[in-house]
Amino acid sequence: MTLVKSAPPMSQDVDLSKTYDAVVVGSGAAGGMAAHVLTSQGMDVLMLEAGKKLPIEQELRSMQWPYDHPRRGDAPPGYHSLSFNEYNIRTPPYAKGSTFKHVTSYVGGWGGSDYVKNILVDEKDHPYTGTKYAWVRARALGGKTNIWGRLALRLSDYDFKAKTHDGYGDDWPIAYADIEPYYDRVDRYLGISGVKENLPHLPDSLFQRPNKLTFGEVKLREGLKKMGRVLTPYRAGVTTDGLKHNRYRSKCYGRGACDRRPGGCDIHATFDSPTGLIYPAVDTGHLKIRTNSIAHEVLVDSNTGKARGVAFVDSVTRKSYEAKAKVVIVAASTLESARLLLLSRSPQHPNGIGNSSGHVGHNFCEHVMGPGVTGLVKDLVGKPPTLDDGRPGGFYIPRFRNLKDRQPGFVRGYGFEGSGGFSIFPGNAFGAPDSARSSRKKCVTTPGRSLGWGASVRCWRATRITSTWIPTPKTPGGSPRCASIISSATTSARCARTWSPPAARCSSRRGSRSWARTTRCSPRGGRFTSWARRAWGATPRRRC
């Protein structure tokens, strides 16, 4: 049996008269790693987190059965998670005028909203304005690492040297060989499950034991192999063999609600910043953590112009404080970090810190999500059920477009994430287009026989996206609210239109019958139209 150590005590009493070696703003993946590396070298570090320290195991309850919950995982009355249509139809701030007392982002609506209601930001307390954009925020120690999707892929030289490959965009100033040793160190420390495939466009990690594919997933893999394409078990940031150097995390036992909730793991087999990085850093005696601390300015020395500390507001007492340090590390997520840099204006930095070029807040790039297909595995109809629940993910199909050939109409490529098999809630119930009676019958007679997957498509023409932050009226916590101005991107709409029909054709060619296509598109980045619906009607049924 693996004994998991409880979290170390973290006092809110922090000595702010002291000058620390470093102040880290944010406690997510970046902030946690920065604190861990610095404290391991004996440096004294202060971490500022805007959210609170939650009893995360009590929040996630990933071993709880649906029938043990009074509402089968749903949040109590008064809570509402934004839907895809609300993002498409309404304009920010999305919670304005809502009759619900609490409003969270769409992630809370993925199932089990009661388990993330205190982790996700309340959109009523933290509104933003500007272009339509589904901004997912989590204000708690660990940030979104508490509920992330667990897919852990390495970038390759097809990403770092993309311009050399296809002539578009710009190459990175580094190559895969430069950061491969650091990928290896992270893999050993955090634990990644998966299978080696020896693909140049999807480099292998140092894998621990993979999760087994289901029958339908194996059938799909065999069919794709004949086409020269690869289906590999989901590469998850989950330790399946355990980590001898970390007593705060347990190995995965495959018995949680991994595929029924937005994410999270109460035995911490899935990597999260607190148990993976922050608690071990606290054990060194060199890390102090102050939660409920909303940073609103990086302070600079009037003589040198270099950072000397951080000004922040306590969200509980609403008092203002300053933390002094020799170095300031901003790791507050992509948009929040840009906001903080732009708010940090001074005579030495009139446009914000690090913004002499005017590029802070520009070139923001997301990826298109949403469209998907579901197929019925005919070989499983009438077969007895199997135990397929409790996996952190199903499978991943790496990019296969524009590697050696040149696909007309778009550049780069896309990957597929998906899964199939039996679970507590039949996956084929999602997106069923038929009448209520026939949908219920189909879910009852064909549970576990479906395969579903969707693609992540790169947002292209990223240089046309700008993100500018301006201070507006104060939030309840005292920090300036941010008004975002994000111009629409010229996204790879053609790419999104191209993959949807082939994906469904793959389903039918692999011995599956495609009976449902999800045609909604997530507004996480770019434009907000149902590309898949338009594509299915307009694009010829090409071989996938």
Side-chain angles (χ1 to χ4, degrees):
M1 177 182 293
T2 302
L3 298 178
V4 179
K5 188 177 179 181
S6 59
M10 284 176 284
S11 173
Q12 189 77 350
D13 297 329
V14 173
D15 185 5
L16 294 178
S17 65
K18 174 181 177 180
T19 299
Y20 292 85
D21 291 318
V23 167
V24 178
V25 181
S27 64
M33 183 61 78
H36 178 79
V37 171
L38 295 178
T39 55
S40 66
Q41 300 300 314
M43 297 184 183
D44 292 328
V45 177
L46 172 61
M47 174 178 284
L48 299 178
E49 165 56 45
K52 53 193 170 185
K53 169 67 171 72
L54 292 172
I56 200 68
E57 295 81 8
Q58 298 175 26
E59 294 290 332
L60 297 174
R61 292 162 284 168
S62 54
M63 298 293 183
Q64 186 179 58
W65 290 93
Y67 50 74
D68 288 332
H69 190 283
R71 296 173 300 276
R72 291 188 172 265
D74 286 344
Y79 282 83
H80 172 66
S81 298
L82 294 167
S83 67
F84 284 90
N85 284 337
E86 286 180 278
Y87 286 113
N88 289 328
I89 297 173
R90 303 177 64 185
T91 57
Y94 292 110
K96 184 178 181 180
S98 174
T99 57
F100 293 94
K101 187 177 180 180
H102 304 284
V103 179
T104 64
S105 66
Y106 68 93
V107 172
W110 283 354
S113 54
D114 193 50
Y115 304 108
V116 294
K117 68 180 187 298
N118 295 320
I119 300 175
L120 296 173
V121 159
D122 191 327
E123 300 291 335
K124 283 203 166 184
D125 293 337
H126 304 278
Y128 58 95
T129 60
T131 303
K132 296 177 179 179
Y133 179 72
W135 190 8
V136 179
R137 294 171 288 172
R139 285 200 171 179
L141 187 70
K144 290 194 290 292
T145 66
N146 290 304
I147 55 171
W148 68 300
R150 301 171 294 264
L151 184 64
L153 306 177
R154 294 189 179 193
L155 297 178
S156 72
D157 280 333
Y158 281 84
D159 305 292
F160 294 119
K161 304 300 179 184
K163 182 180 181 180
T164 300
H165 181 65
D166 57 31
Y168 291 89
D170 293 290
D171 286 339
W172 289 45
I174 57 174
Y176 174 71
D178 297 322
I179 63 171
E180 183 180 12
Y182 301 97
Y183 271 133
D184 291 347
R185 290 172 61 183
V186 170
D187 287 352
R188 292 189 188 98
Y189 199 82
L190 303 184
I192 308 292
S193 65
V195 172
K196 288 188 175 183
E197 302 288 357
N198 299 314
L199 302 175
H201 51 285
L202 186 69
D204 294 318
S205 297
L206 302 181
F207 292 122
Q208 295 187 5
R209 172 181 55 84
N211 289 280
K212 290 180 62 176
L213 296 174
T214 65
F215 176 86
E217 293 167 354
V218 171
K219 292 284 289 184
L220 179 61
R221 180 176 64 177
E222 293 172 350
L224 290 173
K225 187 176 181 179
K226 299 175 183 178
M227 304 172 64
R229 295 173 187 169
V230 175
L231 182 151
T232 189
Y234 198 81
R235 295 184 171 183
V238 176
T239 174
T240 51
D241 295 333
L243 300 168
K244 294 181 179 179
H245 61 268
N246 191 313
R247 295 297 303 276
Y248 294 104
R249 297 179 61 195
S250 168
K251 68 178 181 180
C252 178
Y253 291 98
R255 292 295 181 267
C258 304
D259 59 346
R260 306 198 300 271
R261 314 256 175 90
C265 176
D266 59 11
I267 65 171
H268 308 291
T270 297
F271 162 75
D272 59 70
S273 182
T275 60
L277 300 168
I278 295 175
Y279 296 167
V282 171
D283 288 341
T284 66
H286 293 289
L287 177 63
K288 297 295 182 181
I289 302 172
R290 198 181 194 286
T291 54
N292 301 306
S293 302
I294 304 174
H296 61 83
E297 183 180 359
V298 177
L299 304 172
V300 298
D301 186 284
S302 58
N303 296 319
T304 65
K306 295 183 178 180
R308 63 173 181 84
V310 176
F312 66 93
V313 175
D314 189 300
S315 62
V316 178
T317 65
R318 303 192 181 186
K319 293 182 179 180
S320 298
Y321 299 94
E322 291 185 5
K324 296 177 290 185
K326 301 173 184 177
V327 174
V328 175
I329 299 174
V330 179
S333 79
T334 302
L335 297 181
E336 289 284 13
S337 293
R339 174 187 71 89
L340 181 57
L341 293 176
L342 290 171
L343 286 175
S344 302
R345 298 177 181 176
S346 63
Q348 295 81 7
H349 305 280
N351 295 323
I353 287 184
N355 194 33
S356 59
S357 65
H359 277 278
V360 172
H362 289 244
N363 308 307
F364 173 65
C365 184
E366 260 278 15
H367 57 236
V368 180
M369 291 179 62
V373 296
T374 303
L376 183 66
V377 183
K378 294 182 289 185
D379 292 346
L380 282 175
V381 176
K383 297 295 178 63
T386 55
L387 178 61
D388 302 323
D389 210 353
R391 299 184 301 160
F395 60 84
Y396 184 74
I397 302 174
R399 166 185 174 180
F400 51 84
R401 294 294 195 196
N402 292 320
L403 295 175
K404 295 181 179 179
D405 62 334
R406 287 293 182 268
Q407 180 71 25
F410 71 94
V411 295
R412 310 290 157 82
Y414 45 82
F416 292 101
E417 298 175 47
S419 64
F422 285 82
S423 62
I424 289 179
F425 187 84
N428 56 339
F430 291 108
D434 304 326
S435 65
R437 179 176 297 180
S438 61
S439 294
R440 286 197 302 269
K441 180 180 179 182
K442 192 166 293 182
C443 292
V444 171
T445 57
T446 62
R449 281 83 175 178
S450 62
L451 271 172
W453 63 89
S456 293
V457 184
R458 175 182 171 172
C459 181
W460 187 233
R461 300 280 186 182
T463 53
R464 295 184 60 184
I465 302 181
T466 59
S467 174
T468 306
W469 301 90
I470 56 176
T472 54
K474 298 283 185 177
T475 64
S479 177
R481 285 178 179 164
C482 32
S484 64
I485 307 171
I486 307 175
S487 66
S488 297
T490 305
T491 335
S492 287
R494 292 179 181 176
C495 183
R497 284 196 295 265
T498 301
W499 76 258
S500 184
R505 290 287 290 172
C506 279
S507 176
S508 60
R509 285 178 178 270
R510 304 285 68 78
S512 303
R513 179 172 60 87
S514 177
W515 60 270
R517 294 185 296 276
T518 305
T519 55
R520 62 189 181 188
C521 225
S522 164
R524 288 185 60 187
R527 303 186 186 278
F528 311 97
T529 53
S530 295
W531 285 311
R533 181 184 295 114
R534 298 189 322 201
W536 195 263
T539 307
R541 306 297 196 271
R542 293 178 291 182
R543 177 181 172 86
C544 59

